[in-house]
Amino acid sequence: MPIYEYVCDDCGEHYERIVFNQKTEVTCPKCDSGKHTIQLSVFAAPANGAKASGGGSPAPSGGGCCGGSCGCH
Ligand SMILES: [Zn+2]
C-alpha cells in the first residue's frame, strides 16, 4: 500500500499517511491543516536482487549408449 509523506504548508510538520484512494483527507496532526505538499511516496518495493541460480552443470555426456554396450552401430 502506498505511504505518502506530507509536509504541512502551514507549520512545516512532516507526517506520513497511508492513502487508500485519492479522496482520503489528509490533515496535519499538529495544526490540523489540510494544506500540504506531498514529499514522496514510499512503496514496499522488493529489492531487485539477483537470483543465485548457479549450478549449471552440463548434462553428463558419453558413456551409456554408443559406448559399445548397446550396439547402436
Ligand atoms: Zn501543520
Side-chain angles (χ1 to χ4, degrees):
M1 62 186 83
I3 300 174
Y4 291 97
E5 182 175 337
Y6 296 91
V7 178
C8 178
D9 287 347
D10 286 344
C11 72
E13 175 79 0
H14 287 241
Y15 54 98
E16 293 175 351
R17 283 289 182 274
I18 297 173
V19 178
F20 294 101
N21 58 62
Q22 294 291 326
K23 290 182 180 177
T24 303
E25 277 198 31
V26 177
T27 56
C28 175
K30 199 172 182 180
C31 70
D32 208 33
S33 169
K35 290 192 289 185
H36 52 255
T37 302
I38 298 177
Q39 285 293 97
L40 58 97
S41 59
V42 180
F43 286 87
N48 200 10
K51 267 188 181 178
S53 61
S57 61
S61 59
C65 194
C66 287
S69 61
C70 69
C72 56
H73 270 297

